Amino acid sequence: MHRIRKVSSKIMSEREAVETFVVDGIRLRSGGIGLRKPFALINETIRQRRKNITFILSGFTEDGDVMVGAGVASQLEGSYFGLEALGLAHNYRRAYEQGIPLKIKIEEYSNYGMTARFMAAAMGVPFMPVKSHLGSDLVRYHAFREKKAHLMEDPFSGEKVMLLPACPVDVAFVHAQRCDEDGNVQIWGPIGDDEWGARAAQQVVVEVEEIVDSEIVRRDPNRTILPSFMVSAIVIAPYGSHPYQCQGYYDLDLEYRKMYAEVTRTREGFERYLEDWVYGPGSHQGYLEKLGKDRLDRLRAKPYMSDPVNYGY
Amino acid sequence: MHRIRKVSSKIMSEREAVETFVVDGIRLRSGGIGLRKPFALINETIRQRRKNITFILSGFTEDGDVMVGAGVASQLEGSYFGLEALGLAHNYRRAYEQGIPLKIKIEEYSNYGMTARFMAAAMGVPFMPVKSHLGSDLVRYHAFREKKAHLMEDPFSGEKVMLLPACPVDVAFVHAQRCDEDGNVQIWGPIGDDEWGARAAQQVVVEVEEIVDSEIVRRDPNRTILPSFMVSAIVIAPYGSHPYQCQGYYDLDLEYRKMYAEVTRTREGFERYLEDWVYGPGSHQGYLEKLGKDRLDRLRAKPYMSDPVNYGY
Amino acid sequence: MATKFSLAELMAVASSRQIQDGEIAFIGTGLPMLGAMLAKALHAPNAILIYEAGIVDARPKRTPVSIGDGCLVPGAAMCCGLTEALGTILQRGWVDVGFLGAAQINKYGDINTSVIGDYYHPKVRLPGSGGGNDIGSLAKRTVIMMAQDKRKFVEQVDYITTPGWLGPPGTREAAGLPRGGPAKVITNLGIYAFDENREIYLESHHPGISIEKIKQNVSWEIAISPDVRETEPPTDEELHLLREQFDPQGIFLGGRE
Amino acid sequence: MATKFSLAELMAVASSRQIQDGEIAFIGTGLPMLGAMLAKALHAPNAILIYEAGIVDARPKRTPVSIGDGCLVPGAAMCCGLTEALGTILQRGWVDVGFLGAAQINKYGDINTSVIGDYYHPKVRLPGSGGGNDIGSLAKRTVIMMAQDKRKFVEQVDYITTPGWLGPPGTREAAGLPRGGPAKVITNLGIYAFDENREIYLESHHPGISIEKIKQNVSWEIAISPDVRETEPPTDEELHLLREQFDPQGIFLGGRE
């Protein structure tokens, strides 16, 4: 029933994507909670030595830490800044406590607070009401937002409710399992708040494990998280979340994460890390080559397949 | 890693489910937009001659019309009350315009307004902000809610925004493709606002095409729309959405819908319809027998299968 | 090019021409659905059609009878729900053009789909907003499609279900609506647009419909464009696609003339 | 029953005993995750564990290292996102018990996980709330797990990341919080509860830990239950499951004593 259509391709290298969409001073969103972190794009952003980025997410781990340590992010908006089971985030502490490599500011909300703020921006409303944040110092101290939250009485019942402002995002990075050539993006496993965070953005740059035939996407349209028109650029980046997981593709690299937690204890160690693992490799491809085929093969996911469902009528 | 656990079964007949959960005067939500309407439960509610129900949904079609005509629903909250391509809803018109069989009241919002109200209730907040409804009569006329909406200035930007109150729901009916014995419910195809509408409810009564082994559900956990603890009762009702569709199971029965639109033009015609298709058959099983195997077989969905995806790590 | 056509066919074709290539269009049932499919097949292959129930870029193999028809799903790019379609797509500002039906309209394009007569004791109770209020409030522009007579083109609608321009420039903005407003009204008699005062005027009359007849079917003195012309008739290709592919059973187009 | 155990093991077991059968528990990483898995394996088979990243009723086959670890997904009943877990489950009021960590706590159970020292110029910048503020605000009750010393049990926390009782009865309610509040605090020295004034008191001291030592590690005069007792030690079965099944690598339990 439809003619073949051809749109100009959104597929580009990580270099081209960062050159085109990530400029100094923007509000940039990382992605993934516990997995699917967009490290191919983050490492490239560091290589291109961007400055004064406001980096945004609910749960920052190595993604936030490396961007702060590299001097790219000067402001953070989020709710968690640590390395989970691996301890505190050292670059982040050095920056906040000692101004190394530069003084940073943090606008602090809870995880749900950030999610609610992404929801508001994604739905085009100025705020979202929440029932957390009440009675805490999260709303009492602020860093760079003039108005961080607004306490109000619900006009319907009189109960107290906290309004959190929409979180505007210039560019969102998303790591996804797959998309088609048009940029219809599919994700499974934990979604975190990528659905809302990406839809909050003016531009979405997605890195994917693979580009698949549009028919594969269209045989399972409920898995689509972002429609093509919301996606500005597609970067093919297998293992792009390393050292984090991508459900169905590879497991986390716990040794790498331990190494990062260890070497970043000192500024010198972190600078060596940047040289070895970010600047040195020159590209995501170079990074994968440095990791080596054996290591990547060991991380590869074992099969645990879903069953087909019928979409017929 | 886990011991086998046994919970008391939630599986019951539609008769038992309605007897247990649907009492006179409650706020009851229908389900499905354009398909997956919970007719097995709706017809049983009519058979049990419930009264003074406030019936709730964004897009009412035959589900709202039959509940009004049968004298079960005396109040409606929603946004659309018609038979789509098949014209106006006659019972609904007769009730509203002439008080036949009884005078009804309607609290009218838009589709998105109702969805936003379900979202608020589902997330436990007292309201949701929207940018529609502004400047219209939807917020100027009200029927039975004391405060239908609240216009406010966004405290962050000063722009106008409409607050719509959360939509409380006592019992939500949902028609789903499948669930497991615990009540982990999976749906695919258009979701409508069933996700939010069901989560808004105190009790969810789900009718399913089939109960499947828990392992099938757990091999594809991203398809789960409701976790077991939100589900109070499970009714096995194959073809329970008839004459509407259920993606992957059966197509709509356009002839039946045309018949309904035609016979309901008169009150007498509708009363005959109730006798023939609701009271007479006595149960969903009786209804299916009256439709006949041939007719149901003709409606059966053709295969259009999704591909398995890997959930491994 | 002399093929005969019905006014329903003309309206479907006229709606199709309101969609530009690459645009995102928000679609309800009926003629606009046929028009949108036609646009995508001909001059707007890169248009993306959003169906309100939460279906993006569908490739239906039969005529859908509802915005949530399961025939829209196999082959669609995305299938989700009302929150995604109406919230994250429409309210977020992605939709270029939305289509609306109407039972009554006034000169500012405000429309009524709720009641004829007094709200609490109406002569006719109509279906209500559905997604109409959202589309009229939040799409970048809207196209209204309706049957026309004097009781439908009225000075004051009985109830504003969906805001149009609401009044002279500034009125819609003052209500807090973030964008949008009616661009065109397509009836069985002609096509209308809105002037710099946001008042409706006749842009074209359909073949065989006189301007006199149009005047008789508006309850105020309708403004006429100085460049008023006859509505461009459907092409053979358009008619062929409509009749043979998009609505072969005549569900929305009805019987042939 | 004389098996030796570490304080980490004791804390994991103590946390497990805070989950009743049939309850819905909201779980973070670390010891509470081990405790929750233990509870489900033993006395609370019908408990449902919610992992913050959006995973319901997981059946992990290895020790998860994060709340979004992919090993939690295969075999889970539902996999979604933060909006579902924190909004439609937690904020909606479904969660019976939530677990929290803390760097500082005061006698009302208000906790700090953000900064040590001045907020803008802190001595130590800590990770912040994560989901902690949400869990502490919205679960029906919370259990706080932390290392204890005088600088952690303080009269005034440097920053209230997550509200506890906030003050005497009525204070938490006046802040607008819909439910909840801290029920227990489990440290490496003992287990604490809250009295009718919502002030913390010692309920049990761990085996080998004197009440004197506990007093030395609280910066105010800690109240002691008249029924104060020794914390129930882990059973052999609990220790076996923890060591052999839930954390064989000692990721959270560390080395054996």
Side-chain angles (χ1 to χ4, degrees):
Chain A
M1 239 165 167
H2 286 267
R3 296 189 179 177
I4 303 297
R5 67 202 176 85
K6 203 61 219 156
V7 290
S8 64
S9 178
K10 297 171 183 170
I11 303 171
M12 51 184 82
S13 68
E14 75 267 22
R15 174 167 302 175
E16 198 185 343
V18 171
E19 275 172 9
T20 311
F21 293 100
V22 183
V23 298
D24 289 356
I26 63 167
R27 293 174 59 84
L28 177 68
R29 185 182 183 275
S30 186
I33 307 286
L35 41 57
R36 280 191 308 88
K37 291 221 165 259
F39 274 110
L41 288 164
I42 287 170
N43 286 336
E44 179 61 24
T45 302
I46 294 170
R47 268 179 230 119
Q48 295 194 22
R49 297 181 194 266
R50 290 291 178 273
K51 296 283 172 222
N52 295 319
I53 298 292
T54 297
F55 206 37
I56 309 169
L57 192 67
S58 42
F60 278 121
T61 55
E62 286 89 338
D63 50 351
D65 193 65
V66 69
M67 287 278 276
V68 165
V72 176
S74 58
Q75 295 192 142
L76 298 169
E77 252 176 84
S79 58
Y80 175 88
F81 314 86
L83 303 186
E84 302 176 285
L86 303 169
L88 297 177
H90 301 295
N91 282 310
Y92 162 70
R93 283 194 58 188
R94 267 193 299 272
Y96 200 91
E97 296 166 16
Q98 307 167 48
I100 299 170
L102 44 84
K103 195 85 193 138
I104 58 168
K105 290 180 174 179
I106 297 158
E107 208 64 276
E108 205 173 342
Y109 294 87
S110 76
N111 270 358
Y112 186 60
M114 288 303 295
T115 300
R117 298 183 61 215
F118 291 133
M119 290 182 81
M123 294 194 289
V125 289
F127 55 77
M128 191 67 104
V130 301
K131 292 291 288 181
S132 61
H133 291 71
L134 294 158
S136 79
D137 284 341
L138 288 179
V139 292
R140 222 162 280 145
Y141 293 83
H142 66 108
F144 52 85
R145 270 199 75 94
E146 210 178 312
K147 199 168 168 58
K148 189 176 176 182
H150 178 79
L151 179 67
M152 79 177 277
E153 277 185 13
D154 168 31
F156 302 99
S157 73
E159 68 174 294
K160 282 185 184 161
V161 60
M162 191 66 75
L163 305 188
L164 300 182
C167 187
V169 174
D170 293 313
V171 177
F173 289 162
V174 174
H175 185 93
Q177 274 94 346
R178 68 190 186 192
C179 71
D180 63 16
E181 282 202 343
D182 293 336
N184 293 300
V185 176
Q186 299 196 322
I187 290 178
W188 57 94
I191 309 295
D193 50 16
D194 282 350
E195 233 172 315
W196 301 104
R199 291 174 191 165
Q202 299 302 311
Q203 310 276 357
V204 176
V205 179
V206 65
E207 49 169 79
V208 291
E209 292 298 323
E210 55 181 333
I211 292 192
V212 296
D213 192 279
S214 193
E215 292 311 312
I216 292 177
V217 166
R218 287 170 187 268
R219 274 198 293 270
D220 203 353
N222 282 99
R223 285 209 206 280
T224 305
I225 293 291
L226 293 170
S228 60
F229 57 83
M230 292 189 189
V231 174
S232 299
I234 303 165
V235 173
I236 307 172
Y239 286 99
S241 272
H242 181 275
Y244 276 77
Q245 293 161 296
C246 183
Q247 198 91 43
Y249 288 80
Y250 44 90
D251 202 350
L252 82 161
D253 190 340
L254 190 56
E255 292 315 308
Y256 190 103
R257 291 194 62 191
K258 282 181 179 165
M259 175 274 285
Y260 183 89
E262 189 53 38
V263 302
T264 51
R265 284 178 182 279
T266 65
R267 179 67 195 168
E268 299 66 40
F270 175 67
E271 282 170 358
R272 237 178 1 256
Y273 169 84
L274 275 186
E275 217 37 74
D276 290 349
W277 290 99
V278 184
Y279 297 129
S283 69
H284 181 58
Q285 186 52 39
Y287 176 85
L288 294 187
E289 282 162 16
K290 185 166 164 64
L291 284 168
K293 190 174 173 314
D294 286 357
R295 184 170 188 162
L296 295 177
D297 282 348
R298 272 199 308 278
L299 297 175
R300 191 173 298 282
K302 288 163 285 298
Y304 185 92
M305 309 305 287
S306 70
D307 305 299
V309 301
N310 186 7
Y311 273 96
Y313 56 92
Chain B
M1 238 165 166
H2 286 267
R3 296 187 180 180
I4 304 296
R5 67 202 176 85
K6 203 62 217 155
V7 289
S8 63
S9 178
K10 297 171 182 170
I11 303 170
M12 50 184 84
S13 68
E14 75 267 20
R15 173 167 303 176
E16 197 186 344
V18 170
E19 275 172 7
T20 311
F21 294 100
V22 184
V23 298
D24 288 357
I26 63 167
R27 293 174 58 83
L28 177 68
R29 185 183 182 274
S30 187
I33 307 287
L35 42 56
R36 279 191 307 90
K37 291 220 166 262
F39 274 110
L41 288 165
I42 288 170
N43 285 338
E44 178 61 25
T45 302
I46 294 170
R47 267 179 231 119
Q48 294 194 22
R49 298 180 194 266
R50 290 291 176 273
K51 295 284 172 222
N52 296 317
I53 299 292
T54 299
F55 207 36
I56 309 168
L57 192 67
S58 42
F60 278 119
T61 55
E62 286 89 340
D63 51 349
D65 193 65
V66 70
M67 287 279 276
V68 165
V72 175
S74 58
Q75 296 193 140
L76 298 169
E77 251 176 86
S79 58
Y80 174 87
F81 315 86
L83 303 186
E84 303 176 285
L86 303 169
L88 297 176
H90 302 294
N91 281 311
Y92 162 70
R93 284 194 59 188
R94 268 193 299 271
Y96 199 91
E97 296 167 15
Q98 306 166 50
I100 299 171
L102 45 84
K103 194 83 191 137
I104 57 168
K105 291 181 175 179
I106 297 159
E107 207 64 274
E108 205 173 342
Y109 293 88
S110 76
N111 271 356
Y112 186 59
M114 287 303 294
T115 299
R117 297 183 62 212
F118 291 133
M119 289 182 82
M123 294 195 289
V125 288
F127 55 77
M128 191 68 104
V130 301
K131 292 291 289 181
S132 62
H133 290 71
L134 294 158
S136 79
D137 284 340
L138 288 180
V139 293
R140 220 162 283 146
Y141 293 81
H142 65 107
F144 52 86
R145 268 198 76 93
E146 209 178 314
K147 199 167 168 60
K148 190 176 176 182
H150 177 79
L151 179 66
M152 77 177 276
E153 279 186 10
D154 168 31
F156 302 100
S157 73
E159 67 174 295
K160 283 185 183 161
V161 60
M162 192 65 76
L163 304 188
L164 300 183
C167 187
V169 174
D170 293 314
V171 176
F173 289 162
V174 174
H175 186 93
Q177 275 94 346
R178 67 189 186 192
C179 70
D180 63 15
E181 283 203 344
D182 293 336
N184 293 298
V185 177
Q186 299 197 321
I187 289 177
W188 56 95
I191 308 294
D193 49 15
D194 283 349
E195 233 172 314
W196 301 106
R199 291 174 192 165
Q202 298 302 312
Q203 311 276 357
V204 175
V205 179
V206 64
E207 48 169 79
V208 292
E209 292 299 322
E210 54 180 333
I211 292 192
V212 296
D213 192 280
S214 192
E215 294 309 312
I216 292 176
V217 165
R218 287 171 186 268
R219 275 199 291 272
D220 203 352
N222 282 98
R223 285 209 207 280
T224 304
I225 292 291
L226 292 170
S228 59
F229 57 84
M230 292 188 190
V231 174
S232 299
I234 303 165
V235 173
I236 306 172
Y239 286 99
S241 273
H242 181 275
Y244 277 76
Q245 293 161 297
C246 183
Q247 199 90 44
Y249 288 80
Y250 44 90
D251 202 351
L252 83 161
D253 189 340
L254 189 57
E255 291 316 306
Y256 189 102
R257 291 194 63 191
K258 282 181 179 163
M259 175 274 284
Y260 183 90
E262 189 55 38
V263 301
T264 53
R265 284 177 183 280
T266 65
R267 178 69 195 169
E268 299 66 39
F270 174 67
E271 283 170 358
R272 237 178 2 257
Y273 169 85
L274 275 186
E275 216 39 72
D276 290 350
W277 290 99
V278 183
Y279 298 128
S283 68
H284 181 58
Q285 186 53 39
Y287 177 85
L288 295 186
E289 282 162 17
K290 184 165 164 64
L291 285 168
K293 190 174 173 314
D294 285 358
R295 183 168 189 163
L296 295 177
D297 282 348
R298 272 200 308 279
L299 297 174
R300 190 174 297 282
K302 289 163 286 298
Y304 185 93
M305 308 304 287
S306 70
D307 306 299
V309 301
N310 186 7
Y311 273 96
Y313 57 89
Chain C
M1 291 299 282
T3 317
K4 286 187 99 176
F5 50 87
S6 70
L7 284 170
E9 287 168 340
L10 180 65
M11 287 175 75
V13 168
S15 76
S16 121
R17 293 172 183 167
Q18 295 301 321
I19 300 177
Q20 310 302 315
D21 196 20
E23 286 196 322
I24 297 173
F26 209 88
I27 305 298
T29 33
L31 295 182
M33 187 148 59
L34 301 181
M37 295 195 287
L38 192 58
K40 199 161 163 71
L42 294 174
H43 63 276
N46 301 303
I48 291 181
L49 315 184
I50 316 284
Y51 296 84
E52 189 175 332
I55 304 162
V56 176
D57 202 21
R59 296 171 170 178
K61 292 198 163 53
R62 72 163 188 222
T63 317
V65 300
S66 112
I67 48 162
D69 193 325
C71 78
L72 291 163
V73 178
M78 182 171 179
C79 184
C80 42
L82 295 186
T83 296
E84 289 75 17
L86 291 163
T88 69
I89 296 176
L90 178 65
Q91 189 171 247
R92 174 71 168 73
W94 281 105
V95 173
D96 295 302
V97 56
F99 292 86
L100 294 167
Q104 283 184 334
I105 191 169
N106 66 17
K107 67 176 176 177
Y108 291 115
D110 307 319
I111 64 185
N112 174 13
T113 58
S114 294
V115 288
I116 302 297
D118 174 73
Y119 183 73
Y120 295 106
H121 305 93
K123 245 171 52 191
V124 185
R125 174 68 224 195
L126 299 163
S129 163
N133 177 279
D134 306 307
I135 296 169
S137 300
L138 300 166
K140 289 182 194 160
R141 68 178 196 277
T142 50
V143 175
I144 299 159
M145 299 185 65
M146 61 188 293
Q148 178 179 352
D149 66 37
K150 232 185 170 88
R151 291 161 310 141
K152 295 177 191 288
F153 270 54
V154 291
E155 300 225 34
Q156 257 192 308
V157 296
D158 295 336
Y159 182 94
I160 299 180
T161 312
T162 299
W165 293 112
L166 289 170
T171 315
R172 184 179 165 96
E173 293 79 353
L177 292 164
R179 68 187 79 86
K184 302 281 176 180
V185 180
I186 300 172
T187 77
N188 51 328
L189 304 182
I191 300 180
Y192 303 80
F194 293 82
D195 66 21
E196 69 283 4
N197 295 320
R198 298 185 164 178
E199 292 182 27
I200 197 168
Y201 67 91
L202 182 69
E203 200 179 55
S204 74
H205 55 96
H206 295 336
I209 309 289
S210 69
I211 290 181
E212 202 42 51
K213 177 160 185 193
I214 283 173
K215 284 182 172 172
Q216 287 163 4
N217 283 283
V218 179
S219 69
W220 68 89
E221 187 76 32
I222 181 82
I224 314 280
S225 165
D227 307 321
V228 69
R229 57 186 194 283
E230 196 175 87
T231 307
E232 188 97 12
T235 66
D236 285 351
E237 186 178 19
E238 286 166 336
L239 288 173
H240 175 81
L241 281 169
L242 276 182
R243 293 171 181 176
E244 307 302 321
Q245 283 200 40
F246 299 141
D247 190 13
Q249 295 177 273
I251 295 179
F252 298 110
L253 294 173
R256 299 281 128 70
E257 283 193 1
Chain D
M1 290 298 282
T3 317
K4 286 188 97 176
F5 51 85
S6 70
L7 284 170
E9 287 168 339
L10 180 64
M11 287 175 75
V13 168
S15 76
S16 122
R17 293 174 183 167
Q18 296 301 320
I19 301 176
Q20 310 303 316
D21 195 21
E23 286 196 320
I24 297 173
F26 209 87
I27 306 296
T29 34
L31 295 182
M33 188 149 56
L34 301 182
M37 295 195 287
L38 192 58
K40 201 163 161 67
L42 294 174
H43 62 276
N46 300 304
I48 292 181
L49 314 184
I50 315 285
Y51 296 84
E52 187 174 333
I55 305 162
V56 176
D57 202 21
R59 297 172 170 177
K61 292 198 164 53
R62 73 163 188 223
T63 318
V65 301
S66 111
I67 48 162
D69 193 325
C71 78
L72 292 164
V73 177
M78 180 172 181
C79 184
C80 43
L82 295 186
T83 296
E84 288 77 17
L86 291 164
T88 68
I89 296 177
L90 179 64
Q91 190 172 246
R92 173 71 167 74
W94 282 104
V95 173
D96 295 301
V97 55
F99 292 86
L100 294 166
Q104 285 183 332
I105 191 168
N106 65 18
K107 66 176 177 179
Y108 290 115
D110 306 320
I111 64 185
N112 174 14
T113 58
S114 293
V115 288
I116 302 297
D118 175 72
Y119 184 73
Y120 295 105
H121 304 94
K123 245 171 51 190
V124 185
R125 175 68 223 193
L126 298 163
S129 162
N133 177 279
D134 307 308
I135 296 169
S137 300
L138 301 165
K140 289 183 195 159
R141 68 178 195 277
T142 51
V143 175
I144 298 160
M145 299 185 67
M146 62 188 294
Q148 178 179 352
D149 66 36
K150 232 184 170 87
R151 291 161 311 141
K152 294 177 191 288
F153 270 54
V154 292
E155 300 225 33
Q156 256 192 310
V157 296
D158 295 337
Y159 182 94
I160 299 180
T161 311
T162 299
W165 292 111
L166 289 169
T171 315
R172 184 179 164 96
E173 293 79 354
L177 292 164
R179 69 186 79 86
K184 302 280 177 180
V185 180
I186 300 172
T187 77
N188 50 329
L189 303 182
I191 300 179
Y192 304 79
F194 293 83
D195 65 21
E196 69 282 4
N197 295 320
R198 297 183 166 181
E199 292 183 27
I200 196 168
Y201 67 91
L202 182 69
E203 201 178 54
S204 73
H205 56 94
H206 294 337
I209 307 289
S210 69
I211 291 182
E212 201 43 49
K213 179 162 184 192
I214 283 174
K215 285 182 172 172
Q216 286 163 6
N217 283 284
V218 179
S219 70
W220 68 89
E221 188 77 31
I222 181 81
I224 313 280
S225 165
D227 306 320
V228 69
R229 58 188 193 281
E230 196 174 84
T231 308
E232 188 99 9
T235 66
D236 285 350
E237 187 179 19
E238 285 167 336
L239 287 174
H240 175 80
L241 282 168
L242 276 182
R243 293 171 181 175
E244 306 304 320
Q245 283 200 42
F246 299 141
D247 191 12
Q249 295 176 277
I251 295 178
F252 297 111
L253 295 173
R256 299 281 128 68
E257 284 192 0

